[in-house]
């Protein structure tokens, strides 16, 4: 079941209706049933069996950890490690088996042997719910959250269907109570949720799918579309990915809102970021948050890292030295972010190590840059300087992303860059060549219009510090309704869906 | 509690407005093509009075270029409806016939046997033409289930997933009904000429393929329907269809129909009796043109007249479709006829009996030098031939001389809320009078032509066609 | 250990971690008040605090500290 499909919305509509028709105490049962139905429609029996197995391991482990945590901390630790390994093991096995066998083969080749790479498709959403479960196990172990002892309520939480395919990675503390306790009917939740769904559909179907046509056309044949075309593809892909992923998240959060469940935000106008570090606090927020809480903090707090810190302070001096363990921790986190996207080097480098290196370098070189800025008398408070910072941040992000998009691997990404930098053909911007990238005049006008709409709403949020939905809700009914209807009709008419289009799935569902 | 009720009411009203708006948009975006751009047999069917058609045809394009309801009406008074759709396959024949039977109770239903020659649509647009031109109903769902693979069906049920892409191609007739769709009553006028030879296979290929399961089931279902709805079932094949293996399939069909005692009008084989001339009667290899269609219609009508008692409804109320179809036929035939004429006197005489015309006659330059017969032309149009001495420009609407001028006036004609025409007269540098004719932003004539002679423009409002636009 | 004693030690820890002799913290001080106090420096701070007072915070507690006052309350609770 894809979350832009008509049948999915019928399913959600029925679920919402049932949810509010039954007594508040029992409402979680509707969510549980919806979870199971969604799962049943998404995966094969085998994969659902594995899913259920892992869920039961998580359930059993957390109940056990919760009960012996105080009395037998060693036993609790053992169970925690075991449970995390099981969940992690299945995630890695199902997702990244290809990567590991490739590594293994490389090693085996040294002794003249090899093994075949197994081929099967990973269940959708595994990268997301595995992290939620691991986080929950660790939180129970640390005593930072309560334990759900009812296995059915646990399933209602741990398989919460809107977040199943692509997040956001919602922590137990964020959503559990709201899911199992039931929520009162609220007209505002229902309408705001529905509006957010439509907005997400607009991003995905009207903007992202059109950009995808340009990006795919160019990337499929960079011999025919070299130089400036590659630049266009790289820029369009950044916006494609944003509208795709954040559109998907809008739909998910909107649906959850209709049930009265508030999910954590995953995006906060990332293109307004003035530095890469800030960018990653605004982009895929829940993944960054997860890594910070469950990877970065624990390792920085570990004795090993404290020792490293002490040594590096001695070696490099206090100011620089104390940063060293943080940087190592960051590099590990960035490697894991890259690896999480998939066991391929273009992911590990493109959306992992590359960003880590840039962030750490920018911290290392900050004093030098500050001196340079002072020397050149650059006014860092000027609006133009902030715009420059945003463009620079976008450029760095786009650079990493260009490897992310090179599904064929890292060397292909390098070849594209060589192509982009060496072929000189700026005339294609002016001689009508761009019309041949699969979009006609209508499409381009639609892209410009809805792109401006999106940018405008983003700027409104940025400067007014108020959500667009709140602003619209303050207007008169006739105006509001015209706006809502116009947006819904626009999605129906201008959306790329149906027989004439290959309805592409969300990019981030693969992970 | 009150606010909950209020909110509920708001939600219901919003949903209602949304649905109304969507229905309005659907009218604009819906698929309006069964036979060609903006020509939909279903539009014609749905605009019909109940229980008027006595004879119904169903079949693919071979049928809509041959069976002309206008001719059945004009020459025999038969109320025949042509339920043809491009590439109509077996499922669609049954479904569209069911759609006809919802409002009509025909005595005779004639089915194009070419449905037995293919099992699947060759072109995607024909799938759309057959499945989503029909109004939503259980019948339409059934047809979709039979024609579309399961994973695509929902798109066809909902229709929007398919038709929404039409935003790129919206035209005038998406916003108003194309009158031609109603005028033609399922028939398509084709004027091309494709010279071909008769296929001897109809005589030489005498063996037959065994009737396929799908073909047998199709015929059985139609027979069942004929019993249920009490109509006479006849199969036919139009001329020029069956070469080689297709003839073998047809022979098998014929055997089965004989077994069942059902009439099969094999005009493919009996083309000599139909009077087909393969050099002049075809538009392309298998599709006949208007002239071929006239012969086929006549042959079928004569057959029906000889074997059945079909009432003559001419002059009765409720048969406006056929009246307009016949009227349209007269106009479109005149267009084809007149546009090839070389002599202005012939043009003038030919259009004399046709209404809804706008005629512009103008004498220009040293028109006396022209070799054409100006005086007779003027007279044929009802203009005093003496005017030849003074020159001028005349406008005739519906046979009435509405305007004559010899100065630089501009004359505008507005014939409905969309179409306007502008006629103006200017004096060129060399003292010549030149007439401009503009219509719907299209210039029919605005170039500076140093014509010495007579300019003649004839436009037909019914067919929206220019019959004549030239200097003599 | 009372609140004032804790604060006298805590000020030293903050000054050391953030390399600024002028830092004086109180109950209402938050990360917004100290320039270098970002989420990463927060960890270094926590470790330094843990060392100075001989206590251990768990991840949840680290998260729930909204200001220095919360931190001091936790230290008091842990020191008993």
């Amino acid at each position: 079941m894809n979350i832009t499909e008509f049948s999915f919305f019928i399913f959600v509509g029925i679920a919402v209706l049932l949810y509010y028709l039954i007594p508040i105490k029992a409402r979680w049962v509707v969510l549980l049933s919806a979870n199971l139905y969604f799962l049943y429609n998404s995966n094969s029996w085998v994969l659902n069996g594995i899913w259920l197995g892992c869920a039961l391991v998580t359930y059993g482990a957390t109940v056990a950890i919760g009960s012996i945590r105080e009395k037998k901390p060693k036993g609790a630790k053992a169970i925690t490690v075991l449970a995390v390994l099981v969940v992690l093991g299945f995630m890695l096995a199902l997702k990244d088996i290809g990567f590991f066998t490739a590594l293994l083969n490389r090693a085996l080749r040294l002794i003249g042997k090899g093994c075949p790479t197994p081929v099967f498709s990973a269940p959708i959403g595994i990268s997301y719910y595995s992290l939620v479960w691991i986080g929950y196990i660790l939180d129970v172990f640390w005593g930072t959250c309560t334990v759900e002892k009812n296995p059915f309520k646990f399933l209602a939480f741990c398989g919460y269907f809107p977040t199943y395919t692509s997040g956001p990675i919602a922590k137990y503390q964020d959503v559990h109570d709201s899911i199992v306790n039931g929520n009162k009917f609220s007209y505002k939740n229902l309408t705001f949720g529905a509006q957010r769904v439509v907005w997400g559909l607009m991003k995905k179907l009207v903007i992202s799918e059109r950009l995808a046509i340009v990006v795919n056309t160019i990337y499929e044949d960079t011999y025919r579309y070299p130089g400036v075309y590659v630049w266009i593809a790289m820029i369009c892909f950044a916006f494609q990915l944003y509208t795709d992923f954040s559109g998907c998240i809008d739909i998910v959060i909107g649906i959850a809102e209709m049930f009265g469940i508030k999910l954590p935000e995953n995006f906060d106008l990332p293109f307004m970021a003035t530095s890469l570090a800030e960018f990653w606090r605004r982009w895929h927020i829940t993944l960054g948050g997860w890594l910070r809480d469950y990877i970065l903090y624990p390792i920085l707090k570990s004795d090993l890292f404290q020792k490293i810190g002490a040594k590096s302070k001695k070696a490099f001096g206090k100011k620089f030295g104390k940063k060293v363990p943080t940087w190592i921790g960051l590099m590990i986190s960035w490697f894991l972010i890259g690896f999480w996207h998939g066991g391929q080097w273009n992911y590990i480098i493109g959306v992992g190590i590359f960003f880590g290196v840039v962030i750490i370098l920018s911290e290392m070189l900050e004093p030098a840059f500050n001196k340079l800025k002072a020397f050149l008398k650059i006014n860092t408070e000027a609006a133009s300087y902030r715009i420059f910072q945003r463009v620079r941040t976008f450029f760095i992000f786009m650079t990493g992303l260009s490897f992310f998009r090179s599904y064929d691997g890292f060397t292909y990404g390098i070849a594209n860059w060589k192509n982009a930098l060496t072929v000189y053909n700026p005339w294609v911007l002016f001689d009508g060549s761009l019309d041949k990238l699969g979009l006609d005049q209508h499409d381009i006008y639609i892209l410009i219009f809805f792109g401006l709409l999106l940018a405008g709403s983003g700027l409104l949020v940025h400067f007014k510090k108020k959500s667009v939905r709140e602003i619209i809700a303050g207007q008169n009914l006739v105006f509001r309704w015209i706006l809502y209807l116009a947006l819904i009709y626009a999605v129906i008419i201008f959306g790329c869906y149906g027989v004439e289009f290959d309805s592409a799935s969300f990019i981030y569902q693969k992970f | 509690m009150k606010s909950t009720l209020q909110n509920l009411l708001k939600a219901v009203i919003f949903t209602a407005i949304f649905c109304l708006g969507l229905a309005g948009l659907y009218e604009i975006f819906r698929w309006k093509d069964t036979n060609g751009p903006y020509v939909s047999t279903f539009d014609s069917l749905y605009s019909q009075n109940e229980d008027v058609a006595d004879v119904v045809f169903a079949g693919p394009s071979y049928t809509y270029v041959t069976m002309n309801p206008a001719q059945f009406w004009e020459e025999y008074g038969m109320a025949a409806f042509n339920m043809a759709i491009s590439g109509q396959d077996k499922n669609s024949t049954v479904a569209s016939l069911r759609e006809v039977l919802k409002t009509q109770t025909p005595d005779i239903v004639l089915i194009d046997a070419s449905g037995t020659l293919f099992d699947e649509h060759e072109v995607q647009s024909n799938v759309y033409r057959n499945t989503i031109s029909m109004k939503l109903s259980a019948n339409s769902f059934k047809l979709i289930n039979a024609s579309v693979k399961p994973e695509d069906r929902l798109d066809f049920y909902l229709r929007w997933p398919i038709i929404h892409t039409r935003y790129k191609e919206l035209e005038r007739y998406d916003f108003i009904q194309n009158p031609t769709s109603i005028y033609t009553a399922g028939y398509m006028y084709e004027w091309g000429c494709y010279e071909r030879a008769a296929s001897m296979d109809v005589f030489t290929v005498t063996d037959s393929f065994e009737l396929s399961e799908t073909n047998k089931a199709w015929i059985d279902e139609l027979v069942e329907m004929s019993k249920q709805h009490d109509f006479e079932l006849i199969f036919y094949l139009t001329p020029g269809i069956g070469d080689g293996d297709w003839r073998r399939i047809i022979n098998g069909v014929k055997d089965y129909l004989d077994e069942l005692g059902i009439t099969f009008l094999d005009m493919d084989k009996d083309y000599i009796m139909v009077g087909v001339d393969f050099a002049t009667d075809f538009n392309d290899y298998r599709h006949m043109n208007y002239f071929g269609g006239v012969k086929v219609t006549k042959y079928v009508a004569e057959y029906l007249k000889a074997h059945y008692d079909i009432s003559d409804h001419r002059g009765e109320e409720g048969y406006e479709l056929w009246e307009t179809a016949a009227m349209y036929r007269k106009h479109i035939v005149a267009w084809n006829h007149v546009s090839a004429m070389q002599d202005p006197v012939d043009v003038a005489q030919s259009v004399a009996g046709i209404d809804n015309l706008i005629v512009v006659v103008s004498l220009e330059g040293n028109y006396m030098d022209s070799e054409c017969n100006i005086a007779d032309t003027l007279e044929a149009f009802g203009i005093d031939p003496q005017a030849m001495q003074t020159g001028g420009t005349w406008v005739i609407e519906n046979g009435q001389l509405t305007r004559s001028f010899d100065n630089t006036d501009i004359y505008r004609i507005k014939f409905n809320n969309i179409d306007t025409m502008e006629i103006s007269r200017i004096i060129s540098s060399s003292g010549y009078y030149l007439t401009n004719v503009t219509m719907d932003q299209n210039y029919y004539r605005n170039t500076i032509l140093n014509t010495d002679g007579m300019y003649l423009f004839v436009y037909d409002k019914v067919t929206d066609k220019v019959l004549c636009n030239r200097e003599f | 250990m009372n609140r004032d004693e804790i604060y006298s030690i805590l000020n030293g820890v903050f000054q050391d971690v953030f390399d600024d002799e002028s830092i004086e913290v109180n109950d209402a001080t938050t990360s917004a008040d100290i320039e270098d106090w970002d989420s990463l420096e927060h960890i270094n701070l926590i470790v330094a605090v843990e060392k100075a007072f001989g206590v251990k915070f768990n991840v949840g507690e680290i998260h729930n500290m909204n200001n220095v006052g919360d931190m001091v309350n936790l230290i008091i609770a842990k020191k008993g």
Side-chain angles (χ1 to χ4, degrees):
Chain A
M1 207 182 255
N2 192 314
I3 68 166
T4 52
E5 265 172 39
F6 182 76
S7 48
F8 176 73
F9 290 105
I10 294 290
F11 160 71
V12 169
I14 294 169
V16 169
L17 199 67
L18 288 177
Y19 188 79
Y20 290 116
L21 281 179
I22 65 171
I24 197 158
K25 281 246 175 272
R27 283 181 181 167
W28 64 272
V29 179
V30 173
L31 295 181
L32 172 65
S33 319
N35 292 349
L36 295 177
Y37 180 78
F38 186 79
L39 207 63
Y40 166 75
N41 266 291
S42 304
N43 282 329
S44 68
W45 280 107
V46 178
L47 292 177
N48 282 334
I50 294 174
W51 182 89
L52 202 64
C54 282
L56 289 178
V57 166
T58 307
Y59 168 73
T62 48
V63 170
I65 296 164
S67 65
I68 62 167
R69 203 173 78 80
E70 306 272 304
K71 287 162 271 171
K72 296 180 192 156
K74 282 227 170 97
K77 193 170 189 174
I79 298 173
T80 304
V81 170
L82 215 64
V84 168
L85 283 180
V86 168
V87 176
L88 197 64
F90 272 107
M91 176 172 113
L92 294 179
L94 291 173
K95 253 182 63 134
D96 299 318
I97 190 111
F99 179 72
F100 289 117
T101 42
L103 280 185
L104 186 67
N105 272 331
R106 207 165 275 187
L108 287 175
R109 213 176 296 151
L110 297 174
I111 53 166
K113 289 199 166 102
C115 68
T117 308
V119 183
F120 56 88
S121 63
I124 60 162
I126 188 164
S127 312
Y128 298 93
Y129 58 74
S130 301
L131 295 191
V132 174
W133 298 358
I134 291 170
Y136 173 51
I137 297 168
L138 290 172
D139 277 330
V140 170
F141 173 63
W142 289 328
T144 41
C145 72
T146 55
V147 182
E148 179 52 70
K149 296 208 174 77
N150 181 329
F152 297 106
K153 284 186 177 175
F154 172 75
L155 283 178
F157 150 71
C158 85
Y160 185 48
F161 75 91
T163 64
Y164 182 78
T165 53
S166 24
I169 302 160
K171 295 171 73 167
Y172 177 92
Q173 297 91 315
D174 293 334
V175 292
H176 169 267
D177 290 356
S178 181
I179 288 175
V180 299
N181 294 344
N183 297 297
K184 267 195 268 175
F185 174 79
S186 142
Y187 183 71
K188 193 184 164 190
N189 279 345
L190 194 70
T191 50
F192 268 42
Q195 288 161 27
R196 185 132 187 207
V197 170
V198 175
W199 186 247
L201 283 171
M202 188 279 282
K203 282 182 182 172
K204 165 70 178 169
L205 296 179
V206 180
I207 301 178
S208 182
E209 290 288 296
R210 279 198 173 73
L211 289 172
I213 295 170
V214 175
V215 173
N216 294 343
T217 307
I218 295 173
Y219 270 122
E220 258 161 39
D221 193 353
T222 45
Y223 283 104
R224 207 168 130 205
Y225 302 110
V228 169
Y229 286 113
V230 179
W231 284 100
I232 291 171
M234 289 194 290
I235 293 168
C236 286
F237 182 66
F239 289 114
Q240 182 202 338
L241 188 66
Y242 172 68
T243 45
D244 181 279
F245 193 12
S246 76
C248 171
I249 293 296
D250 283 335
I251 296 168
V252 168
I253 293 181
I255 288 170
E257 200 169 350
M258 291 165 88
F259 291 104
I261 293 163
K262 212 172 146 38
L263 292 176
E265 291 293 334
N266 220 12
F267 291 91
D268 178 21
L269 308 173
F271 296 130
M272 294 304 282
T274 52
S275 72
L276 191 63
E278 187 193 349
F279 183 92
W280 280 93
R281 286 195 294 276
R282 291 167 171 273
W283 173 283
H284 211 170
I285 297 168
T286 56
L287 177 66
W290 191 93
L291 280 157
R292 186 191 61 219
D293 294 349
Y294 301 107
I295 305 281
L296 186 60
Y297 282 6
I299 57 176
L300 286 184
K301 271 195 80 204
S302 70
D303 295 341
L304 175 69
F305 270 70
Q306 289 305 317
K307 269 184 210 151
I308 294 174
K311 281 205 176 138
S312 68
K313 269 187 210 167
K314 267 185 209 149
F316 304 109
K318 202 173 163 210
K319 190 142 189 144
F320 191 82
K322 75 170 184 186
K323 295 262 186 195
V324 170
T326 316
W327 291 338
I328 297 172
L330 275 176
M331 278 318 294
I332 294 172
S333 302
W334 279 108
F335 173 82
L336 289 174
I337 286 186
F339 188 75
W340 176 86
H341 284 89
Q344 283 177 45
W345 287 105
N346 57 318
Y347 294 136
I348 295 171
I349 295 172
V351 282
I353 291 169
F354 171 72
F355 291 134
V357 167
V358 170
I359 288 175
I360 291 166
L361 275 181
S362 71
E363 269 196 39
M364 280 184 185
L365 298 176
E366 204 186 334
F369 278 131
N370 284 339
K371 271 182 203 156
L372 187 69
K373 277 183 245 172
F375 178 72
L376 293 173
K377 296 198 171 62
I378 291 171
N379 176 10
T380 55
E381 296 302 312
S384 57
Y385 186 75
R386 272 202 299 282
I387 290 171
F388 155 74
Q389 285 178 307
R390 286 183 181 127
V391 172
R392 179 191 62 189
T393 306
F394 177 83
F395 180 81
I396 297 167
F397 172 65
M398 183 202 84
T399 306
L401 222 52
S402 66
F403 291 99
F404 174 87
R405 176 60 177 76
S406 314
Y407 298 130
D408 294 347
F410 188 70
T411 39
Y412 183 69
I414 293 286
N416 276 340
W417 268 99
K418 208 173 142 198
N419 186 337
L421 292 170
T422 55
V423 178
Y424 180 75
N425 59 343
W427 53 87
V428 301
L429 293 170
F430 307 99
D431 67 359
S433 306
L434 300 186
D435 296 347
K436 294 172 195 110
L437 295 176
L439 297 186
D440 62 16
Q441 285 295 318
H442 288 92
D443 291 313
I444 290 167
Y445 290 140
I446 289 166
L447 261 182
I448 291 172
F449 178 82
F450 286 94
L452 287 177
L453 190 69
L454 188 62
S457 77
L459 289 173
L460 206 62
V461 172
H462 186 77
F463 290 110
K464 287 239 171 185
K465 307 272 179 250
K466 207 173 168 192
S467 93
V468 175
R469 284 181 297 172
E470 292 286 357
I471 294 168
I472 293 170
Q475 308 302 314
N476 291 316
L477 181 122
V478 174
F479 176 79
R480 249 160 41 212
W481 282 18
I482 289 173
L483 217 58
Y484 298 151
L485 288 173
L487 189 65
I488 300 173
Y489 292 143
V491 170
I492 292 175
I493 292 168
F494 301 126
C496 302
Y497 65 99
V499 180
E500 300 286 297
F501 294 95
D502 292 328
S503 66
S505 61
F506 288 98
I507 296 171
Y508 258 76
Q509 271 176 8
K510 301 194 295 121
F511 301 119
Chain B
M1 203 60 216
K2 194 182 155 219
S3 76
T4 311
L5 273 180
Q6 251 179 8
N7 285 332
L8 203 70
L9 192 68
K10 252 161 73 181
V12 169
I13 293 173
F14 183 83
T15 314
I17 294 175
F18 167 74
C19 291
L20 277 176
L22 198 64
L25 286 173
Y26 178 76
E27 270 310 301
I28 295 170
F29 279 80
R30 74 185 169 84
W31 194 268
K32 299 180 189 73
D33 167 349
T34 59
N35 302 8
Y38 300 103
V39 179
S40 169
T41 317
F42 281 111
D43 282 1
S44 184
L45 174 68
Y46 294 135
S47 62
Q48 270 335 288
N49 295 318
E50 269 190 34
D51 197 11
V52 280
D54 291 332
V55 179
V56 169
F57 293 90
S61 47
Y62 308 131
T63 290
Y64 68 55
V65 293
T66 49
M67 306 301 176
N68 191 344
Q71 191 185 343
F72 279 106
W73 180 258
E74 217 178 326
E75 293 169 12
Y76 301 90
M78 291 181 193
F81 189 80
N82 191 341
M83 188 63 241
I85 305 170
S86 289
Q88 189 183 77
D89 65 346
K90 289 185 266 281
N91 295 319
S92 175
T93 306
V94 171
S96 51
L97 187 55
R98 281 193 202 285
E99 206 63 13
V100 173
L101 293 172
K102 282 179 183 173
T103 56
Q104 308 297 323
T105 49
D107 301 323
I108 303 161
V109 172
L110 297 98
I111 303 289
D112 193 327
S114 65
T116 57
L117 300 174
F118 60 101
D119 275 325
E120 273 172 17
H121 289 293
E122 277 175 19
V123 218
Q124 182 65 16
S125 60
N126 279 348
V127 180
Y128 297 147
R129 285 181 170 130
N130 281 279
T131 51
I132 60 172
S133 299
M134 200 187 280
K135 274 184 186 167
L136 272 185
S137 67
N139 186 26
S140 127
F141 284 139
K142 249 165 81 182
L143 175 61
I144 290 166
N145 288 346
S147 325
V148 181
K149 50 183 195 294
E151 61 267 34
D152 289 343
R153 278 178 201 162
L154 190 64
D155 284 358
F156 280 78
Y157 298 155
L158 297 170
R159 304 206 173 169
W160 276 106
I162 298 163
I163 58 168
H164 75 97
T165 57
R166 295 198 60 242
Y167 71 84
K168 291 183 180 183
E169 57 181 37
L170 293 181
E171 283 178 20
R172 177 208 282 183
Y173 288 138
D174 286 304
F175 300 90
I176 55 169
Q177 171 67 48
N178 177 13
T180 312
S181 194
I182 308 296
Y183 291 157
T184 51
Y187 180 80
M188 286 293 277
Y189 288 88
E190 297 291 356
W191 300 100
C193 184
Y194 176 90
E195 219 180 309
R196 61 164 285 190
S199 165
M200 286 305 110
D201 287 2
V202 293
F203 305 119
T204 55
V205 178
T206 50
D207 56 325
S208 57
F209 285 156
E210 203 186 329
L211 198 64
S212 75
E213 283 302 314
T214 50
N215 283 343
K216 183 174 179 304
W218 181 56
I219 293 169
D220 290 347
E221 185 168 12
L222 288 166
V223 170
E224 194 52 44
M225 279 170 79
S226 77
K227 285 176 188 156
Q228 204 184 332
H229 291 271
D230 192 26
F231 59 74
E232 185 74 20
L233 179 65
I234 297 174
F235 284 82
Y236 63 89
L237 196 64
T238 56
I241 302 290
D243 298 353
D245 282 352
W246 276 18
R247 190 21 75 179
R248 292 185 177 88
I249 296 173
I250 291 299
N251 288 343
V253 171
K254 165 103 171 83
D255 294 344
Y256 187 61
L257 291 174
D258 284 348
E259 227 174 88
L260 297 173
I262 292 172
T263 311
F264 180 43
L265 297 178
D266 190 349
M267 291 173 278
D268 187 28
K269 195 170 194 167
D270 299 340
Y271 68 86
I272 296 168
M273 279 150 74
V274 178
V276 177
D277 180 347
F278 281 84
T280 59
D281 291 348
F282 280 82
N283 190 55
D284 58 42
Y285 188 74
R286 287 204 168 89
H287 294 96
M288 300 191 94
N289 59 23
Y290 171 75
F291 306 104
V294 168
K295 294 173 185 173
V296 171
T297 300
K298 190 172 178 59
Y299 180 84
V300 173
E302 290 292 344
Y303 176 87
L304 294 177
K305 201 172 112 184
H307 292 81
Y308 303 96
D309 182 21
I310 301 167
S311 353
D312 182 344
H313 291 293
R314 277 175 291 194
E316 288 178 29
E317 242 179 70
Y319 291 84
E320 293 80 8
L321 169 75
W322 288 274
E323 294 291 353
T324 39
M327 181 273 293
Y328 183 76
R329 178 176 176 233
K330 201 167 122 190
H331 280 261
I332 196 91
V333 171
W335 164 74
N336 181 260
H337 189 55
V338 172
S339 55
M341 284 179 176
Q342 298 301 322
D343 186 342
V345 183
D346 286 348
V347 173
Q349 283 165 354
S350 297
V351 302
I354 302 171
D355 52 6
N356 280 303
L357 295 185
I358 294 171
V359 179
V360 181
V361 189
S362 188
L363 301 179
E364 309 197 329
N366 299 321
Y367 56 87
M368 289 301 207
D369 292 356
S370 168
E371 284 169 12
C372 73
N373 190 340
I374 294 174
D376 283 0
T377 311
L378 292 180
E379 195 163 14
F381 279 120
I383 302 162
D384 183 0
Q386 291 304 314
M388 191 173 163
Q389 303 306 321
T390 51
T393 297
W394 295 268
V395 180
I396 302 151
E397 289 174 79
N398 296 333
Q400 298 291 314
L401 182 65
T402 51
R403 184 84 181 177
S404 69
F405 45 97
D406 54 6
N407 51 20
T408 56
D409 283 1
I410 295 174
Y411 183 51
R412 288 194 181 86
I413 306 169
K414 189 166 175 62
F415 28 92
N416 55 42
N417 53 11
I418 300 156
D419 303 305
T420 54
M421 181 184 271
E422 192 175 295
I423 300 156
S424 63
R425 208 169 134 85
I426 56 164
I427 306 168
S428 85
S429 51
S430 45
Y432 284 27
Y433 280 103
L434 299 157
T435 304
N436 285 336
V437 175
T438 321
M439 206 181 78
D440 294 342
Q441 317 301 320
N442 295 317
Y443 289 105
Y444 278 98
R445 181 172 193 256
N446 76 332
T447 43
I448 303 295
L449 294 164
N450 288 327
T451 306
D452 291 320
M454 180 169 56
Y455 170 62
L456 188 53
F457 176 86
V458 183
Y459 167 74
D460 179 5
K461 287 196 240 176
V462 172
T463 55
D464 190 27
K465 283 184 189 301
V466 174
L467 279 60
C468 178
N469 177 39
R470 56 184 289 186
E471 287 99 18
F472 293 97
Chain C
M1 216 183 248
N2 65 29
R3 248 187 144 73
D4 287 340
E5 286 167 335
I6 291 175
Y7 266 111
S8 67
I9 300 173
L10 209 52
N11 275 328
V13 174
F14 270 81
Q15 287 163 7
D16 187 47
V17 169
F18 296 113
D19 245 345
D20 184 350
E21 298 295 324
S22 67
I23 291 179
E24 289 278 331
V25 293
N26 57 47
D27 276 1
T29 307
T30 66
S31 59
D33 300 320
I34 295 172
E35 208 198 318
D36 287 340
W37 192 355
D38 57 22
S39 58
L40 292 173
E41 210 58 68
H42 186 60
I43 293 296
N44 289 329
L45 176 70
I46 292 295
V47 174
V49 171
E50 285 178 346
K51 222 182 256 170
F53 292 93
V55 295
K56 279 267 174 207
F57 300 111
N58 67 39
V59 176
E61 288 164 342
I62 298 171
H63 263 274
N64 296 332
M65 286 175 200
N66 292 319
N67 51 35
V68 176
D70 288 346
M71 187 188 281
V72 173
N73 291 341
L74 269 170
I75 296 169
I76 292 172
K78 289 199 183 247
K79 291 296 268 184

